[in-house]
Amino acid sequence: MKTPTIISSIFSRITLRLAVVLAVFFGLLVTSLILIPIQLSTITADSLKKLEDDHVRSAAILAVILSEPVWQITPEIAKQSSDVVFSNPNVSEIHVITLPDKKTFITNSRKNTQQGTFRTQSRLISHGEQVIGEVQLTFTEEIMRTEIRDNFYRAIFVTATSFLLSVICIYIVLQWRLVRPIKDLIEKSDLLANGELNEVISFDRKDEIGHLAVSLEATRQALQRSFNELEIKNQQLLEYSGTLESKVRQRTQELENANHHLEAALASVNSAQNELARIERMAALGSMVAGVAHELNTPLGNCLLVASTLSDETRQIGKTLTEGTMRRSDLSHYVDAATESSKLLMRGLQQAAQLVGDFKQVAVDQSSAQRRKFTLVVVFQELAALLHSSLRKTPFNLELDIPDDIELDSYPGPLGQVFSNLVNNAVVHGLDGMSQGYMRCMARRQADHVLIVFEDSGKGIPPNIIKRIFEPFFTTKFGKGGSGLGLSITFNIITNVLGGEIKVTSEPNQGARFEMSIPLVAPGNPEHAGQIIDT
């Protein structure tokens, strides 16, 4: 197994609670590793400055108080006067010499009992206008280093204690406000998945989890209504079938003496039964479409709510960063909100993708999410027909310029999703606010590849954002219906699923041009053509 696969497997097993705790833990750890050396450097600099000031001051005092004893040549008085300064534990040695003969006058020293770095300050001793001697004051840095080390250990202890208490508090709050409610929601969702629709889903909360519970309860009620309606319709169909069978028996009895009449009646009955079977299949498909549409409304609505909340949080953290008022709690709160929002978005989108994938499997074109051989113009014409209902409400035209002889052994479902995403992107962003415009899709075969070009006559893409349009969640209409996922999904499908590449060029007010080069035979084993491609 490859290393990235192992790492991905480990990350997928990490619970939400552990992920948030780890994020806070490493965030505080990195901050501490950055701040502790800075704090140690500051303490050391302050201590050295304090020691230097004390050294200079003490040397100046000695030069003053020793003036008279040196002048009168009284070493005993000089030694007594210097004992005041020598009592300072930082003083290592006091050495006084007379000038100009440079003879030692007094010496007080305890160097042999001290270790570490020593520093010496010299001051001239004057009496009146005459220089009569020199005092040399030596300080040791041993005591200062010991104090710095003790203060550093104390700071590390306080930081570690605060660190541990913060993690514990976050863990408790996370367990209380997030993990337990989510577990309850999962249990309720499992009941819905198993078809148990009688238990009411109720959470007395006003936050995102409360909104999610309300949406889940609305889903439960909608499913319950749908099942009740289906049961009523099935009963009606059974009653109609029973009535039809009764009429057939009566008709058979009346016409049993005439074989040709009986054959005509049997043919009519068979035709009616076939029509009933077709109607029943269409009714089931119609109910399924309505159910899928309603189911999609819930996760996509939740995703929109979460994205809006995350946008507000991002705007708030950006404001505090710009104003310079950001605190560690603000950043921690934002990380918690971003992590939770990302997971809720992924869960909602995965649910929506699963619903769409399930619908594809029972829809008319079941191969749309599978690998198969197909003609490019046929697939795009079908997609253009499906998009016609929405495009006819706009003043924009969609044109196709695709030869009939381009055949691919690839994945028409993901390729169709790329086409739909580009059309929607052009309508929502490029042509928004314009009274008229067009979209054109062209294709040309190039050796073993096909070049697909999609362009529009819209406003174009500004140069400052054109390099970011394929980034996930990047959109210029955040909060106005834009999710920022369309072009990101398009990029992933082209590069990862279809094995091609995509690039974009644009000029202001000249529209945008997307060029996609994909192989005629998609990468992978063609024998696996029946496998579903998760887009």
Side-chain angles (χ1 to χ4, degrees):
M1 183 179 293
K2 297 181 179 179
T3 302
T5 305
I6 297 176
I7 296 176
S8 176
S9 176
I10 294 175
F11 283 167
S12 65
R13 298 175 184 273
I14 295 178
T15 62
L16 174 62
R17 173 177 50 194
L18 180 59
V20 174
V21 170
L22 287 176
V24 173
F25 176 83
F26 285 110
L28 294 176
L29 180 62
V30 171
T31 303
S32 300
L33 292 177
I34 294 174
L35 293 180
I36 287 177
I38 296 175
Q39 185 178 9
L40 177 60
S41 176
T42 303
I43 293 174
T44 302
D46 292 342
S47 299
L48 285 173
K49 181 66 169 56
K50 181 180 178 182
L51 183 66
E52 180 70 21
D53 293 343
D54 189 20
H55 196 178
V56 173
R57 184 173 55 255
S58 297
I61 292 173
L62 279 175
V64 173
I65 66 176
L66 293 177
S67 174
E68 195 63 31
V70 173
W71 176 257
Q72 296 178 2
I73 313 178
T74 54
E76 295 80 6
I77 297 176
K79 193 167 186 179
Q80 291 176 0
S81 299
S82 65
D83 284 343
V84 177
V85 177
F86 193 70
S87 63
N88 187 342
N90 290 320
V91 177
S92 178
E93 182 180 76
I94 300 175
H95 183 67
V96 181
I97 61 175
T98 59
L99 295 177
D101 53 2
K102 294 186 179 180
K103 291 183 179 181
T104 299
F105 185 67
I106 62 169
T107 299
N108 284 346
S109 178
R110 47 172 170 251
K111 263 191 176 182
N112 55 350
T113 63
Q114 295 176 333
Q115 298 177 353
T117 305
F118 297 95
R119 52 174 65 204
T120 302
Q121 286 277 349
S122 297
R123 288 291 185 275
L124 295 176
I125 302 173
S126 302
H127 189 273
E129 299 295 331
Q130 183 180 356
V131 177
I132 61 175
E134 181 182 6
V135 58
Q136 297 177 351
L137 178 62
T138 302
F139 267 37
T140 179
E141 296 183 1
E142 178 183 0
I143 297 175
M144 181 200 68
R145 299 293 180 185
T146 302
E147 291 178 353
I148 292 174
R149 184 171 59 253
D150 293 341
N151 290 335
F152 179 69
Y153 290 155
R154 191 179 301 109
I156 287 192
F157 175 76
V158 172
T159 302
T161 303
S162 302
F163 188 80
L164 180 61
L165 291 177
S166 298
V167 172
I168 292 175
C169 291
I170 290 173
Y171 180 86
I172 293 174
V173 172
L174 189 66
Q175 179 73 17
W176 171 49
R177 292 296 297 171
L178 189 61
V179 175
R180 288 184 180 177
I182 287 180
K183 286 185 177 179
D184 293 339
L185 283 179
I186 291 175
E187 292 177 359
K188 301 295 185 181
S189 300
D190 291 339
L191 292 178
L192 288 182
N194 294 329
E196 301 178 14
L197 306 177
N198 295 325
E199 186 172 348
V200 178
I201 301 173
S202 177
F203 280 76
D204 189 15
R205 294 175 59 151
K206 303 300 182 182
D207 56 5
E208 292 79 0
I209 294 180
H211 289 298
L212 182 59
V214 171
S215 300
L216 201 60
E217 170 62 17
T219 301
R220 183 195 68 82
Q221 295 177 2
L223 286 174
Q224 195 172 40
R225 288 193 300 269
S226 298
F227 281 127
N228 292 336
E229 293 174 359
L230 284 175
E231 186 175 356
I232 294 174
K233 290 181 179 180
N234 287 335
Q235 184 64 32
Q236 292 175 349
L237 286 175
L238 289 175
E239 292 176 357
Y240 182 71
S241 178
T243 303
L244 182 61
E245 291 176 359
S246 175
K247 291 181 179 180
V248 169
R249 286 194 299 269
Q250 181 181 359
R251 191 69 174 173
T252 302
Q253 291 175 359
E254 292 175 355
L255 301 177
E256 61 183 0
N257 296 326
N259 290 335
H260 64 280
H261 289 178
L262 181 59
E263 292 176 357
L266 289 176
S268 177
V269 170
N270 290 333
S271 176
Q273 289 178 340
N274 291 333
E275 182 65 18
L276 282 176
R278 188 187 69 82
I279 293 174
E280 186 175 358
R281 287 196 302 271
M282 294 301 295
L285 181 59
S287 299
M288 181 189 65
V289 171
V292 169
H294 184 81
E295 290 289 342
L296 282 174
N297 182 56
T298 298
L300 294 181
N302 292 340
C303 289
L304 181 60
L305 176 62
V306 172
S308 177
T309 303
L310 181 59
S311 176
D312 294 339
E313 292 288 345
T314 303
R315 201 160 35 243
Q316 183 63 30
I317 198 68
K319 180 180 178 182
T320 58
L321 178 62
T322 302
E323 296 175 351
T325 59
M326 181 183 290
R327 297 175 298 177
R328 182 182 299 176
S329 59
D330 295 332
L331 183 57
S332 176
H333 173 75
Y334 176 73
V335 171
D336 293 345
T339 303
E340 178 61 16
S341 299
S342 299
K343 290 185 175 292
L344 291 176
L345 284 171
M346 288 300 298
R347 185 181 301 125
L349 294 175
Q350 287 173 354
Q351 183 181 359
Q354 182 63 40
L355 288 171
V356 173
D358 293 342
F359 177 72
K360 287 179 180 179
Q361 297 307 300
V362 295
V364 177
D365 188 7
Q366 294 187 1
S367 62
S368 61
Q370 297 176 342
R371 177 171 182 157
R372 64 180 176 86
K373 293 182 178 180
F374 61 94
T375 303
L376 183 62
V377 66
V378 174
V379 172
F380 277 18
Q381 284 175 345
E382 292 174 352
L383 291 170
L386 292 175
L387 294 171
H388 177 70
S389 59
S390 60
L391 289 178
R392 65 184 178 183
K393 301 176 183 179
T394 68
F396 314 131
N397 296 324
L398 175 60
E399 304 172 4
L400 298 180
D401 181 11
I402 303 174
D404 298 336
D405 59 347
I406 300 180
E407 295 186 354
L408 292 87
D409 180 2
S410 188
Y411 303 97
L415 183 57
Q417 185 176 358
V418 168
F419 180 76
S420 300
N421 287 349
L422 292 176
V423 172
N424 292 333
N425 182 74
V427 172
V428 173
H429 298 280
L431 300 170
D432 182 34
M434 301 181 66
S435 60
Q436 61 181 0
Y438 69 87
M439 294 163 284
R440 182 182 296 115
C441 183
M442 300 174 290
R444 296 293 182 267
R445 182 168 181 170
Q446 296 179 339
D448 58 349
H449 281 64
V450 58
L451 176 63
I452 302 175
V453 178
F454 184 91
E455 60 184 11
D456 61 67
S457 62
K459 296 174 289 187
I461 305 173
N464 59 327
I465 67 171
I466 193 169
K467 295 182 179 180
R468 302 185 58 195
I469 61 173
F470 294 123
E471 295 180 5
F473 304 109
F474 177 78
T475 177
T476 57
K477 292 185 176 293
F478 203 85
K480 301 179 181 178
S483 65
L485 290 174
L487 291 182
S488 175
I489 293 174
T490 297
F491 180 83
N492 289 331
I493 291 176
I494 291 293
T495 57
N496 298 331
V497 178
L498 303 179
E501 58 183 18
I502 180 173
K503 62 181 181 179
V504 57
T505 56
S506 178
E507 295 291 338
N509 299 320
Q510 297 296 322
R513 178 184 176 93
F514 293 85
E515 296 184 2
M516 297 156 284
S517 178
I518 61 175
L520 296 175
V521 179
N525 191 348
E527 296 179 357
H528 298 166
Q531 297 180 359
I532 301 301
I533 303 301
D534 184 7
T535 60

